[in-house]
Amino acid sequence: MLKTTAWCFALILLYAGKTFGQLPAIIEKDGRHALLVDGKPYLILGGQAHNSSGWPGMLPQVWQAVENMHLNTVEIPIYWEQIEAQPGKFDFSLVDTLLQQARAHNVHLVLLWFATWKNGSNHYTPEWMKKDAAKYPNITGLNDKHIDSPSPHSRATLDADIKAFTAVMAYLKQADTQHTVLMVQVENESGSWDSMRDYSPTAQKLFEGNVPAALLKSDVLKALNIPAGAKGTWQQVFGDRADEYFQAWSISSFIGQVAAAGKAVYPLPLYVNAALRDPLTNPHANTYESGGPTDNVIPIWKVAAPAIDLLAPDIYLSGSERVLKVLDLYDRPDNTLFVPEAGLIADNAKYLYEVIARGGIGFSPFGIDDNGHGSTPEELSKRLAPYAQEYAVASPMMRELAQWAFEGKIKAVVEHEDHAEQTIDLGAWQATVSFGSDRENTIKANVVPDGKVMIIQLGDNKFMVMGTDSHITFHTIGKNKGKAWQYLKVEEGSYDNGVFKPLRILNGDETDFGGPRFGNMPKVLQVELIVR
Ligand code: DGJ
């Protein structure tokens, strides 16, 4: 008996060593991705703290939000100006505080390296850099205009960022052996506003030179809609996109080097976030942040910054057509979908379902904590509620959702502004989702288009369905076409340790009159159908 117990214990330790010692990693299979945490797919049910909330005095509000929202991961900035206030002297006390307090609150962290670029500017570089503008220059706009954006052509800035970021990653390697930190965002919304590129003499000389060979490969040119065989200067190859593409190449090469140096020390997943451009109208970079990882320059970033695992869209656009297009553009076989920021508006919560259905690794509204600006605590908690409700239901089944998402078993629809019904094909069944509340014949449209449904195919006739503000019904298609059918069983319940625990069987008024309904609080239903 004792012997058996000892063996079991040894096996547990061996298993623990194998899994808990594992670094978080992003894997890809058949064009789908997963973030592995402790060796298994993990879904970031996240929230991002405000920009100035990574200070010890502000953290109580962050942990309060974590608790209220049922987050499993907090995204929070770390500041170059604090970490290296004196050149070469590193202070990791705030990083330590974050690690300790996150562990005490049982959440993971995604750290945001606010450094050379923060929303296109250099505002988080240390004072000693700001005081030496000649050594750490900003870019020069047309007609010598001063531009509030660091130059990606400064070797001194690059070396300083590499040194500091490498120190951060080396520190994490030794201070975070339990992997509280899952990923690090390198810089924040890099790019430049008010000038498409640097027009300084140094940059101009590079711009007048030839496009690097790495960008002239036929697959890269094709992805950029340029005919194969093009070569020459930036202007000759890229025409009216030359300024932006040059800026994208310059910034991605810089950030790619920072990332590669940090990763060489401690290979955590690294990503960059994008201030988006309109995804539907192909605008020019004088209307958005030039050179950042916008959808049109993803191929340039992929070539220049291979140490960056993924390019992530910050969702502040509105309208379902636009947002869904953005999700499509960033969900690519070579790019894992992750939404690190979404504006804290009610109907953005629905995109959590779309991200999961596309196999994305996480979602995170921005500004979850009470930072003393803007909204009252009551207003804030009202704005957080749609996310908190979803996370409360999703967190007990987070590992299952992540695994199903990786396996491509999840489909979702979200309500558009026209409130039109939508369909989801599920083998020999088709689900029709209509949005609104009340019964089929007295349906009331949703005021805000926030309805959503996510369906997980568990078997030929068995589905897990989550949703809010909608109805769902089924039809027979494919090999079931034309056959009569009925619900075999519809159960409402929740997940507990990988097992669905029914609360009740829904029947009668709860499944008649147009099928099972979801109110404004999300529910999990296990639905079994049968043909007669
Ligand atoms: C996007 C940035 O990435 C965030 O840091 C923040 O500045 C928000 N915009 C706006 O509050």
Side-chain angles (χ1 to χ4, degrees), residues 193-208:
W193 296 100
D194 298 329
S195 181
M196 284 207 267
R197 65 172 174 92
D198 192 355
Y199 295 86
S200 67
T202 315
Q204 189 59 28
K205 200 164 165 223
L206 291 169
F207 182 74
E208 284 164 11

Side-chain angles (χ1 to χ4, degrees), residues 434-446 470-471:
S434 46
F435 300 99
S437 57
D438 218 332
R439 296 175 176 190
E440 186 181 36
N441 42 4
T442 51
I443 197 160
K444 294 191 197 86
N446 296 324
S470 53
H471 290 236

Side-chain angles (χ1 to χ4, degrees), residues 136-342:
Y136 307 108
N138 274 348
I139 66 178
T140 308
L142 282 172
N143 306 319
D144 285 338
K145 191 175 170 201
H146 290 283
I147 303 293
D148 183 16
S149 187
S151 170
H153 307 289
S154 163
R155 184 74 233 182
T157 312
L158 174 60
D159 286 344
D161 201 339
I162 286 177
K163 191 170 165 198
F165 187 63
T166 308
V168 168
M169 296 304 279
Y171 187 77
L172 288 179
K173 183 182 179 179
Q174 54 98 9
D176 190 29
T177 49
Q178 65 196 86
H179 308 312
T180 298
V181 179
L182 302 182
M183 303 204 283
V184 179
Q185 179 187 291
V186 191
E187 320 294 339
N188 191 87
E189 291 193 348
S190 59
S192 54
W193 296 100
D194 298 329
S195 181
M196 284 207 267
R197 65 172 174 92
D198 192 355
Y199 295 86
S200 67
T202 315
Q204 189 59 28
K205 200 164 165 223
L206 291 169
F207 182 74
E208 284 164 11
N210 285 338
V211 172
L215 284 185
L216 297 177
K217 293 195 175 139
S218 54
D219 55 331
V220 182
L221 288 177
K222 187 167 173 218
L224 294 168
N225 293 318
I226 302 293
K231 59 180 188 317
T233 65
W234 289 85
Q235 198 69 56
Q236 286 165 339
V237 176
F238 297 120
D240 66 353
R241 294 281 170 178
D243 292 327
E244 179 193 10
Y245 286 13
F246 174 73
Q247 177 75 337
W249 171 258
S250 309
I251 295 180
S252 55
S253 301
F254 182 118
I255 295 178
Q257 290 177 73
V258 175
K263 205 165 211 171
V265 172
Y266 184 41
L268 274 187
L270 302 176
Y271 74 94
V272 291
N273 60 334
L276 299 176
R277 65 182 202 138
D278 186 308
L280 302 175
T281 54
N282 195 22
H284 271 76
N286 50 0
T287 62
Y288 56 91
E289 209 182 334
S290 181
T294 48
D295 67 84
N296 55 328
V297 293
I298 291 175
I300 296 179
W301 275 79
K302 290 287 172 191
V303 172
I308 294 290
D309 294 87
L310 63 104
L311 316 176
D314 288 349
I315 308 279
Y316 292 95
L317 299 164
S318 54
S320 49
E321 190 189 1
R322 281 199 164 70
V323 175
L324 294 176
K325 179 71 183 174
V326 165
L327 299 183
D328 286 343
L329 289 166
Y330 285 83
D331 173 24
R332 308 164 31 126
D334 65 352
N335 197 64
T336 310
L337 182 63
F338 173 53
V339 175
E341 293 182 40

Side-chain angles (χ1 to χ4, degrees), residues 21-75:
Q22 280 181 21
L23 267 180
I26 290 177
I27 56 164
E28 184 267 343
K29 187 170 179 260
D30 302 330
R32 303 187 72 84
H33 305 92
L35 169 64
L36 298 186
V37 175
D38 301 330
K40 289 179 300 205
Y42 179 95
L43 180 64
I44 292 180
L45 301 172
Q48 187 168 139
H50 281 106
N51 289 170
S52 308
S53 299
W55 298 90
M58 300 306 292
L59 291 178
Q61 284 93 311
V62 175
W63 307 128
Q64 188 60 55
V66 164
E67 197 178 310
N68 296 348
M69 285 186 74
H70 312 277
L71 298 187
N72 61 22
T73 308
V74 190
E75 296 171 9

Side-chain angles (χ1 to χ4, degrees), residues 50 69 316 342-349 365-371 373-389:
H50 281 106
M69 285 186 74
Y316 292 95
L344 204 52
I345 54 171
D347 61 339
N348 267 352
F366 175 85
I368 56 165
D369 53 318
D370 177 8
N371 71 344
H373 293 161
S375 39
T376 64
E378 293 71 35
E379 283 162 355
L380 181 63
S381 64
K382 206 167 152 203
R383 289 163 76 203
L384 295 176
Y387 302 88
Q389 289 157 7

